[in-house]
Amino acid sequence: MAMAMQEEQRVVVMRHGDRVDHADPLWAANNPRPWDPPLTDAGLLRASTVASRILADGFHIHRVLVSPFIRCLQTAAQAIAALSPLPRINIKVSIEYGLSEMMNTQAMGILVSQIAPSIDRWFPDMSQLEAALPAATIDHSAEPLYQEVPKWGESVWEARSRYASVIKALADKYPDENLLLVTHGEGVGASVSFFEPGVEIYEVEYCAYSVLGRQQHKVGIEQGSEEEGLKNLRVLSTSGPTGIHYYYTTPAPAPAPAPSEVPDR
């Protein structure tokens, strides 16, 4: 028997907040882990504020999956606090290495690229990473799609393809849950450009987010039988209001009308 699914799944893909090395250019040169800057105070506040805006959109987030970089872990912690103001709202959270920053010079900079070949471990143990998250929310049973960070030297296109495949795989893995994926700027850009044909991304602000969705439908398996399934993800957000800015290189597709049997949410 097929598992019952909600009528429409939402997947929110969010960039981390303001990072300290962009506010203090000397930070990276004075730290042993220059690839992993934390958030500024402004970044912590922005993460909480934007998460409250997501909550106001009218659907509950059931699960948060987050990149192992500390700026994303801190963003997720702030978001969880804002998204679960009531004890009855139980959010599960886990770390997903597939949502990591692009592992290349374009994202990490010259300083990190010079020491990258000698780095044996980019991150501490999972338990130390999880210490940045609210303890009561951690789902220890969740298996990440990637068991470790991607290898150093991936191209921009490879990283964008990784983000898109991870977004799709996570949506498929948790089809009856609304997800918040906390990742990096290129990941948010890929969440639009790979699921909305003909789009060129030109800016992704701190804590910018996209909203993707797909509806439940019936799939015929054999004559006289049906199984529940989900349609392909589509981009529900638009350029500008949520901090992602893009334009169409081809005419924008007309929005598909919602099926009459799907109630307003």
Side-chain angles (χ1 to χ4, degrees):
M1 179 180 296
M3 180 179 177
M5 299 180 186
Q6 61 179 10
E7 290 177 333
E8 186 165 30
Q9 181 188 35
R10 299 290 178 89
V11 179
V12 180
V13 186
M14 179 181 180
R15 188 188 180 192
H16 58 77
D18 313 47
R19 46 191 286 178
V20 70
D21 59 332
H22 285 184
D24 177 7
L26 297 179
W27 184 91
N30 296 321
N31 280 271
R33 292 167 49 82
W35 60 87
D36 201 18
L39 297 184
T40 63
D41 289 343
L44 293 168
L45 178 60
R46 190 194 300 262
S48 179
T49 302
V50 171
S52 296
R53 189 187 311 160
I54 294 171
L55 180 63
D57 285 345
F59 57 90
H60 290 153
I61 296 295
H62 303 109
R63 183 178 296 271
V64 177
L65 298 112
V66 55
S67 160
F69 286 76
I70 187 61
R71 55 190 179 273
C72 292
L73 296 173
Q74 291 178 317
T75 299
Q78 294 295 112
I80 291 166
L83 291 169
S84 54
L86 302 176
R88 63 181 176 82
I89 301 178
N90 181 26
I91 295 178
K92 299 176 182 178
V93 60
S94 59
I95 292 170
E96 174 52 62
Y97 291 107
L99 294 172
S100 294
E101 177 66 279
M102 289 198 303
M103 300 299 287
N104 58 30
T105 304
Q106 290 94 323
M108 301 280 199
I110 297 296
L111 175 61
V112 175
S113 72
Q114 292 172 340
I115 62 175
S118 64
I119 298 174
D120 292 326
R121 295 182 64 202
W122 289 90
F123 294 102
D125 294 336
M126 182 69 79
S127 60
Q128 293 176 268
L129 294 175
E130 291 175 342
L133 300 168
T137 66
I138 297 171
D139 184 0
H140 295 287
S141 67
E143 283 290 328
L145 300 177
Y146 279 60
Q147 298 300 316
E148 59 183 7
V149 295
K151 300 299 183 184
W152 177 261
E154 64 181 346
S155 68
V156 173
W157 175 255
E158 287 170 339
R160 290 172 179 172
S161 298
R162 163 171 60 86
Y163 288 128
S165 65
V166 167
I167 291 166
K168 176 66 165 57
L170 290 173
D172 290 342
K173 187 176 182 179
Y174 304 106
D176 57 339
E177 297 180 349
N178 293 329
L179 309 180
L180 171 63
L181 313 183
V182 182
T183 183
H184 304 264
E186 286 292 343
V188 178
S191 73
V192 174
S193 62
F194 272 76
F195 297 96
E196 181 82 352
V199 161
E200 184 72 26
I201 311 294
Y202 63 87
E203 184 181 6
V204 178
E205 301 173 18
Y206 285 126
C207 288
Y209 65 95
S210 64
V211 181
L212 288 74
R214 58 183 182 177
Q215 294 170 342
Q216 180 182 339
H217 66 142
K218 297 289 185 179
V219 181
I221 304 300
E222 297 176 354
Q223 186 174 3
S225 68
E226 288 185 331
E227 183 173 297
E228 291 177 339
L230 285 166
K231 293 183 178 180
N232 292 332
L233 288 166
R234 67 192 189 283
V235 179
L236 303 179
S237 49
T238 59
S239 177
T242 64
I244 311 172
H245 303 273
Y246 56 89
Y247 59 87
Y248 286 90
T249 57
T250 59
S260 58
E261 67 271 15
V262 177
D264 292 337
R265 284 182 175 270

